[in-house]
């Protein structure tokens, strides 16, 4: 008698308000002890996961790709689309930007920070940061934000708000 193979089960990760897809994918992978390559294999979309984590969204994710991801992460396709830039908005994948004051409120990378025309936080009227305020190291991709701090100086992102300039 053959025992049917069970579908893999994963810890569910709820998306945060305004969170970027890169940050969400990193949180999901860490919670489930997966690499980008493993998640790509599970979804059947391969290296696309790694590209999305780096904000390389050209070509833009298809409904089929988002559907495959949604089936694994158990998040609706519509919610995944909210983690991407709206149609007609250009992204700037580098440098990675953040508002320390926003991060202190909700510790996640927001997709709007990577919009090409976005240079300040509309909520706090602060210039977005592109590097650590102490060591000037550029921020890594949000998928790699494990502790929410500079990977070299270990200064928490939330603390950096004190040194953000007003706009």
């Amino acid at each position: 008698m053959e025992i049917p193979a069970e579908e893999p089960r994963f810890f569910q990760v709820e998306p945060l308000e305004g969170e970027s897809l890169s940050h969400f994918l990193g949180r999901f992978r860490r919670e489930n002890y997966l690499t980008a390559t493993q998640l790509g294999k599970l979804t059947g979309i391969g290296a696309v996961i790694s590209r999305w984590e780096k904000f390389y969204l050209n070509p833009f994710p298809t409904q089929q790709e988002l559907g495959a991801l949604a089936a694994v992460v158990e998040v609706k396709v519509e919610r995944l689309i909210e983690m991407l830039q709206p149609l007609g908005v250009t992204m700037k994948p580098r440098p990675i930007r953040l508002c320390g004051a926003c991060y202190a409120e909700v510790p996640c990378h927001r997709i709007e920070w990577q919009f090409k025309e976005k240079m300040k936080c509309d909520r706090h009227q602060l210039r977005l940061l592109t590097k650590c305020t102490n060591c000037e190291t550029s921020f890594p991709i949000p998928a790699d934000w494990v502790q929410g701090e500079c990977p070299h100086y270990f200064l928490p992102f939330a603390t950096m708000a004190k040194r953000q300039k007003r706009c």
Side-chain angles (χ1 to χ4, degrees):
M1 180 171 141
E2 216 175 290
I3 300 171
E6 281 190 37
E7 290 290 316
R9 297 192 56 118
F10 300 102
F11 293 109
Q12 218 172 344
V13 175
E14 289 297 320
L16 301 170
E17 188 63 36
E19 184 174 25
S20 68
L21 184 61
S22 173
H23 193 262
F24 172 77
L25 290 172
R27 288 191 315 117
F28 180 84
R29 288 191 303 95
R30 281 188 298 282
E31 185 69 25
N32 290 285
Y33 302 97
L34 296 170
T35 65
T37 301
Q38 290 169 326
L39 182 56
K41 286 180 182 176
L42 287 167
T43 58
I45 56 179
V48 168
I49 297 291
S50 183
R51 290 182 48 77
W52 292 350
E53 287 184 356
K54 296 174 183 135
F55 295 109
Y56 297 146
L57 302 170
N58 190 7
F60 199 75
T62 66
Q63 284 290 124
Q64 184 180 357
E65 290 169 330
L66 291 171
L69 177 61
V72 173
V73 300
E74 296 183 32
V75 171
K76 292 182 179 180
V77 170
E78 296 76 26
R79 184 64 184 95
L80 293 174
I81 290 172
E82 290 174 12
M83 294 185 226
L84 301 167
Q85 80 265 29
L87 286 176
V89 174
T90 305
M91 293 278 288
K92 184 169 180 164
R94 298 289 176 279
I96 299 300
R97 301 179 189 145
L98 82 92
C99 172
C102 284
Y103 195 88
E105 295 170 359
V106 180
C108 77
H109 179 270
R110 289 168 183 61
I111 187 62
E112 68 185 56
W113 295 339
Q114 294 308 129
F115 295 170
K116 185 176 182 180
E117 303 301 321
K118 183 69 81 172
M119 295 310 217
K120 71 172 188 168
C121 171
D122 295 330
R123 177 175 168 81
H124 298 102
Q125 300 304 307
L126 298 171
R127 181 172 300 281
L128 294 176
L129 298 170
T130 59
K131 54 191 171 187
C132 175
T133 56
N134 275 11
C135 70
E136 298 194 359
T137 299
S138 297
F139 298 123
I141 61 170
D144 294 340
W145 291 6
V146 179
Q147 300 295 329
E149 62 189 16
C150 170
H152 294 101
Y153 194 80
F154 307 109
L155 181 68
F157 294 153
T159 305
M160 294 181 194
K162 295 175 187 171
R163 295 175 110 180
Q164 276 182 271
K165 292 185 168 76
R166 287 235 167 255
C167 291

mmCIF file of all heavy atoms in Angstrom, residues 130-141 144-145 147-157 160:
data_model
loop_
_atom_site.group_PDB
_atom_site.id
_atom_site.type_symbol
_atom_site.label_atom_id
_atom_site.label_comp_id
_atom_site.label_asym_id
_atom_site.label_seq_id
_atom_site.Cartn_x
_atom_site.Cartn_y
_atom_site.Cartn_z
ATOM 1 N N THR A 130 19.483 56.403 3.260
ATOM 2 C CA THR A 130 19.980 55.419 2.301
ATOM 3 C C THR A 130 21.173 54.648 2.856
ATOM 4 O O THR A 130 21.667 53.729 2.211
ATOM 5 C CB THR A 130 20.401 56.096 0.978
ATOM 6 O OG1 THR A 130 21.411 57.064 1.262
ATOM 7 C CG2 THR A 130 19.204 56.752 0.298
ATOM 8 N N LYS A 131 21.621 55.053 4.055
ATOM 9 C CA LYS A 131 22.762 54.366 4.675
ATOM 10 C C LYS A 131 22.725 54.599 6.180
ATOM 11 O O LYS A 131 22.040 55.493 6.675
ATOM 12 C CB LYS A 131 24.077 54.843 4.081
ATOM 13 C CG LYS A 131 24.269 56.341 4.123
ATOM 14 C CD LYS A 131 25.456 56.753 3.297
ATOM 15 C CE LYS A 131 25.501 58.273 3.175
ATOM 16 N NZ LYS A 131 26.503 58.724 2.276
ATOM 17 N N CYS A 132 23.473 53.809 6.881
ATOM 18 C CA CYS A 132 23.572 53.912 8.339
ATOM 19 C C CYS A 132 24.038 55.316 8.718
ATOM 20 O O CYS A 132 24.977 55.840 8.117
ATOM 21 C CB CYS A 132 24.539 52.854 8.875
ATOM 22 S SG CYS A 132 24.855 52.973 10.653
ATOM 23 N N THR A 133 23.396 55.885 9.715
ATOM 24 C CA THR A 133 23.755 57.242 10.131
ATOM 25 C C THR A 133 25.076 57.284 10.901
ATOM 26 O O THR A 133 25.614 58.362 11.122
ATOM 27 C CB THR A 133 22.639 57.862 10.996
ATOM 28 O OG1 THR A 133 22.382 57.012 12.112
ATOM 29 C CG2 THR A 133 21.377 58.060 10.185
ATOM 30 N N ASN A 134 25.622 56.138 11.292
ATOM 31 C CA ASN A 134 26.912 56.112 11.989
ATOM 32 C C ASN A 134 28.062 55.714 11.074
ATOM 33 O O ASN A 134 29.054 56.419 10.969
ATOM 34 C CB ASN A 134 26.875 55.168 13.190
ATOM 35 C CG ASN A 134 26.334 55.851 14.424
ATOM 36 O OD1 ASN A 134 25.810 56.947 14.357
ATOM 37 N ND2 ASN A 134 26.445 55.192 15.558
ATOM 38 N N CYS A 135 27.941 54.566 10.418
ATOM 39 C CA CYS A 135 29.074 54.057 9.634
ATOM 40 C C CYS A 135 28.941 54.302 8.134
ATOM 41 O O CYS A 135 29.844 53.996 7.376
ATOM 42 C CB CYS A 135 29.278 52.568 9.911
ATOM 43 S SG CYS A 135 27.986 51.510 9.232
ATOM 44 N N GLU A 136 27.780 54.803 7.705
ATOM 45 C CA GLU A 136 27.503 55.111 6.308
ATOM 46 C C GLU A 136 27.515 53.893 5.388
ATOM 47 O O GLU A 136 27.735 54.009 4.186
ATOM 48 C CB GLU A 136 28.428 56.215 5.796
ATOM 49 C CG GLU A 136 28.240 57.511 6.559
ATOM 50 C CD GLU A 136 28.866 58.709 5.881
ATOM 51 O OE1 GLU A 136 29.476 58.555 4.801
ATOM 52 O OE2 GLU A 136 28.733 59.800 6.444
ATOM 53 N N THR A 137 27.243 52.721 5.948
ATOM 54 C CA THR A 137 27.087 51.511 5.145
ATOM 55 C C THR A 137 25.701 51.538 4.504
ATOM 56 O O THR A 137 24.712 51.816 5.192
ATOM 57 C CB THR A 137 27.218 50.251 6.026
ATOM 58 O OG1 THR A 137 28.513 50.242 6.617
ATOM 59 C CG2 THR A 137 26.997 48.981 5.226
ATOM 60 N N SER A 138 25.624 51.242 3.215
ATOM 61 C CA SER A 138 24.327 51.166 2.543
ATOM 62 C C SER A 138 23.496 50.045 3.151
ATOM 63 O O SER A 138 24.034 49.039 3.613
ATOM 64 C CB SER A 138 24.522 50.902 1.053
ATOM 65 O OG SER A 138 25.206 51.974 0.456
ATOM 66 N N PHE A 139 22.180 50.231 3.123
ATOM 67 C CA PHE A 139 21.297 49.214 3.677
ATOM 68 C C PHE A 139 21.220 47.999 2.743
ATOM 69 O O PHE A 139 21.184 48.158 1.525
ATOM 70 C CB PHE A 139 19.884 49.768 3.876
ATOM 71 C CG PHE A 139 19.827 50.912 4.842
ATOM 72 C CD1 PHE A 139 19.315 52.134 4.454
ATOM 73 C CD2 PHE A 139 20.283 50.771 6.145
ATOM 74 C CE1 PHE A 139 19.248 53.203 5.338
ATOM 75 C CE2 PHE A 139 20.228 51.827 7.040
ATOM 76 C CZ PHE A 139 19.706 53.052 6.639
ATOM 77 N N PRO A 140 21.172 46.786 3.309
ATOM 78 C CA PRO A 140 20.986 45.593 2.475
ATOM 79 C C PRO A 140 19.536 45.522 1.981
ATOM 80 O O PRO A 140 18.680 46.276 2.457
ATOM 81 C CB PRO A 140 21.294 44.442 3.443
ATOM 82 C CG PRO A 140 20.991 44.986 4.793
ATOM 83 C CD PRO A 140 21.296 46.470 4.725
ATOM 84 N N ILE A 141 19.277 44.606 1.076
ATOM 85 C CA ILE A 141 17.903 44.447 0.596
ATOM 86 C C ILE A 141 17.013 44.090 1.787
ATOM 87 O O ILE A 141 17.449 43.405 2.715
ATOM 88 C CB ILE A 141 17.786 43.397 -0.534
ATOM 89 C CG1 ILE A 141 18.229 42.013 -0.066
ATOM 90 C CG2 ILE A 141 18.519 43.849 -1.782
ATOM 91 C CD1 ILE A 141 17.911 40.900 -1.046
ATOM 92 N N ASP A 144 16.789 40.752 3.659
ATOM 93 C CA ASP A 144 17.879 40.367 4.559
ATOM 94 C C ASP A 144 17.861 41.119 5.892
ATOM 95 O O ASP A 144 18.786 40.993 6.678
ATOM 96 C CB ASP A 144 19.233 40.596 3.865
ATOM 97 C CG ASP A 144 19.434 39.670 2.684
ATOM 98 O OD1 ASP A 144 18.759 38.625 2.604
ATOM 99 O OD2 ASP A 144 20.273 39.997 1.814
ATOM 100 N N TRP A 145 16.808 41.882 6.155
ATOM 101 C CA TRP A 145 16.724 42.623 7.414
ATOM 102 C C TRP A 145 16.273 41.687 8.532
ATOM 103 O O TRP A 145 15.096 41.575 8.831
ATOM 104 C CB TRP A 145 15.750 43.780 7.312
ATOM 105 C CG TRP A 145 16.184 44.910 6.422
ATOM 106 C CD1 TRP A 145 17.290 44.960 5.629
ATOM 107 C CD2 TRP A 145 15.493 46.139 6.231
ATOM 108 N NE1 TRP A 145 17.332 46.157 4.955
ATOM 109 C CE2 TRP A 145 16.246 46.897 5.307
ATOM 110 C CE3 TRP A 145 14.324 46.674 6.735
ATOM 111 C CZ2 TRP A 145 15.854 48.166 4.890
ATOM 112 C CZ3 TRP A 145 13.934 47.937 6.323
ATOM 113 C CH2 TRP A 145 14.697 48.677 5.416
ATOM 114 N N GLN A 147 17.440 41.642 11.979
ATOM 115 C CA GLN A 147 17.290 42.294 13.283
ATOM 116 C C GLN A 147 16.802 43.746 13.191
ATOM 117 O O GLN A 147 16.577 44.367 14.219
ATOM 118 C CB GLN A 147 18.634 42.284 14.028
ATOM 119 C CG GLN A 147 19.185 40.913 14.302
ATOM 120 C CD GLN A 147 18.307 40.104 15.255
ATOM 121 O OE1 GLN A 147 17.653 40.656 16.124
ATOM 122 N NE2 GLN A 147 18.287 38.807 15.067
ATOM 123 N N GLY A 148 16.683 44.283 11.984
ATOM 124 C CA GLY A 148 16.262 45.678 11.858
ATOM 125 C C GLY A 148 17.331 46.643 12.311
ATOM 126 O O GLY A 148 17.052 47.608 13.027
ATOM 127 N N GLU A 149 18.564 46.356 11.881
ATOM 128 C CA GLU A 149 19.690 47.192 12.290
ATOM 129 C C GLU A 149 20.762 47.167 11.214
ATOM 130 O O GLU A 149 20.758 46.315 10.330
ATOM 131 C CB GLU A 149 20.272 46.688 13.612
ATOM 132 C CG GLU A 149 20.821 45.280 13.526
ATOM 133 C CD GLU A 149 21.218 44.669 14.867
ATOM 134 O OE1 GLU A 149 20.802 45.193 15.905
ATOM 135 O OE2 GLU A 149 21.939 43.668 14.848
ATOM 136 N N CYS A 150 21.694 48.110 11.310
ATOM 137 C CA CYS A 150 22.835 48.145 10.391
ATOM 138 C C CYS A 150 23.620 46.845 10.554
ATOM 139 O O CYS A 150 23.962 46.471 11.676
ATOM 140 C CB CYS A 150 23.728 49.340 10.717
ATOM 141 S SG CYS A 150 25.309 49.325 9.829
ATOM 142 N N PRO A 151 23.916 46.148 9.450
ATOM 143 C CA PRO A 151 24.628 44.874 9.566
ATOM 144 C C PRO A 151 26.092 45.018 9.982
ATOM 145 O O PRO A 151 26.713 44.048 10.385
ATOM 146 C CB PRO A 151 24.519 44.278 8.164
ATOM 147 C CG PRO A 151 24.310 45.435 7.264
ATOM 148 C CD PRO A 151 23.565 46.466 8.064
ATOM 149 N N HIS A 152 26.634 46.233 9.921
ATOM 150 C CA HIS A 152 28.036 46.433 10.289
ATOM 151 C C HIS A 152 28.200 47.112 11.643
ATOM 152 O O HIS A 152 29.052 46.751 12.431
ATOM 153 C CB HIS A 152 28.766 47.245 9.213
ATOM 154 C CG HIS A 152 28.860 46.509 7.924
ATOM 155 N ND1 HIS A 152 28.028 46.754 6.867
ATOM 156 C CD2 HIS A 152 29.671 45.496 7.543
ATOM 157 C CE1 HIS A 152 28.330 45.928 5.870
ATOM 158 N NE2 HIS A 152 29.319 45.152 6.257
ATOM 159 N N TYR A 153 27.361 48.103 11.912
ATOM 160 C CA TYR A 153 27.496 48.877 13.139
ATOM 161 C C TYR A 153 26.497 48.439 14.216
ATOM 162 O O TYR A 153 26.632 48.775 15.377
ATOM 163 C CB TYR A 153 27.308 50.367 12.807
ATOM 164 C CG TYR A 153 27.751 51.294 13.889
ATOM 165 C CD1 TYR A 153 29.091 51.614 14.061
ATOM 166 C CD2 TYR A 153 26.828 51.861 14.761
ATOM 167 C CE1 TYR A 153 29.506 52.474 15.066
ATOM 168 C CE2 TYR A 153 27.229 52.719 15.765
ATOM 169 C CZ TYR A 153 28.563 53.018 15.913
ATOM 170 O OH TYR A 153 28.967 53.862 16.907
ATOM 171 N N PHE A 154 25.458 47.702 13.797
ATOM 172 C CA PHE A 154 24.412 47.168 14.677
ATOM 173 C C PHE A 154 23.539 48.243 15.307
ATOM 174 O O PHE A 154 22.903 48.017 16.324
ATOM 175 C CB PHE A 154 24.995 46.236 15.755
ATOM 176 C CG PHE A 154 25.849 45.151 15.165
ATOM 177 C CD1 PHE A 154 27.228 45.164 15.320
ATOM 178 C CD2 PHE A 154 25.275 44.142 14.399
ATOM 179 C CE1 PHE A 154 28.016 44.177 14.736
ATOM 180 C CE2 PHE A 154 26.049 43.158 13.817
ATOM 181 C CZ PHE A 154 27.422 43.174 13.984
ATOM 182 N N LEU A 155 23.502 49.431 14.705
ATOM 183 C CA LEU A 155 22.617 50.489 15.159
ATOM 184 C C LEU A 155 21.204 50.173 14.665
ATOM 185 O O LEU A 155 20.998 49.968 13.472
ATOM 186 C CB LEU A 155 23.080 51.843 14.598
ATOM 187 C CG LEU A 155 22.265 53.061 14.999
ATOM 188 C CD1 LEU A 155 22.445 53.350 16.494
ATOM 189 C CD2 LEU A 155 22.669 54.275 14.175
ATOM 190 N N PRO A 156 20.221 50.114 15.575
ATOM 191 C CA PRO A 156 18.845 49.810 15.146
ATOM 192 C C PRO A 156 18.307 50.880 14.188
ATOM 193 O O PRO A 156 18.565 52.078 14.382
ATOM 194 C CB PRO A 156 18.061 49.806 16.460
ATOM 195 C CG PRO A 156 19.081 49.536 17.519
ATOM 196 C CD PRO A 156 20.333 50.207 17.027
ATOM 197 N N PHE A 157 17.544 50.451 13.193
ATOM 198 C CA PHE A 157 16.959 51.380 12.228
ATOM 199 C C PHE A 157 16.109 52.429 12.944
ATOM 200 O O PHE A 157 16.133 53.598 12.585
ATOM 201 C CB PHE A 157 16.093 50.639 11.202
ATOM 202 C CG PHE A 157 16.852 49.718 10.297
ATOM 203 C CD1 PHE A 157 16.218 48.616 9.746
ATOM 204 C CD2 PHE A 157 18.182 49.929 9.962
ATOM 205 C CE1 PHE A 157 16.887 47.753 8.889
ATOM 206 C CE2 PHE A 157 18.870 49.069 9.106
ATOM 207 C CZ PHE A 157 18.213 47.979 8.573
ATOM 208 N N MET A 160 17.905 55.418 14.203
ATOM 209 C CA MET A 160 18.419 56.332 13.167
ATOM 210 C C MET A 160 17.499 57.520 12.926
ATOM 211 O O MET A 160 17.926 58.539 12.376
ATOM 212 C CB MET A 160 18.655 55.569 11.866
ATOM 213 C CG MET A 160 19.756 54.551 11.968
ATOM 214 S SD MET A 160 19.985 53.719 10.383
ATOM 215 C CE MET A 160 20.999 52.336 10.883
#
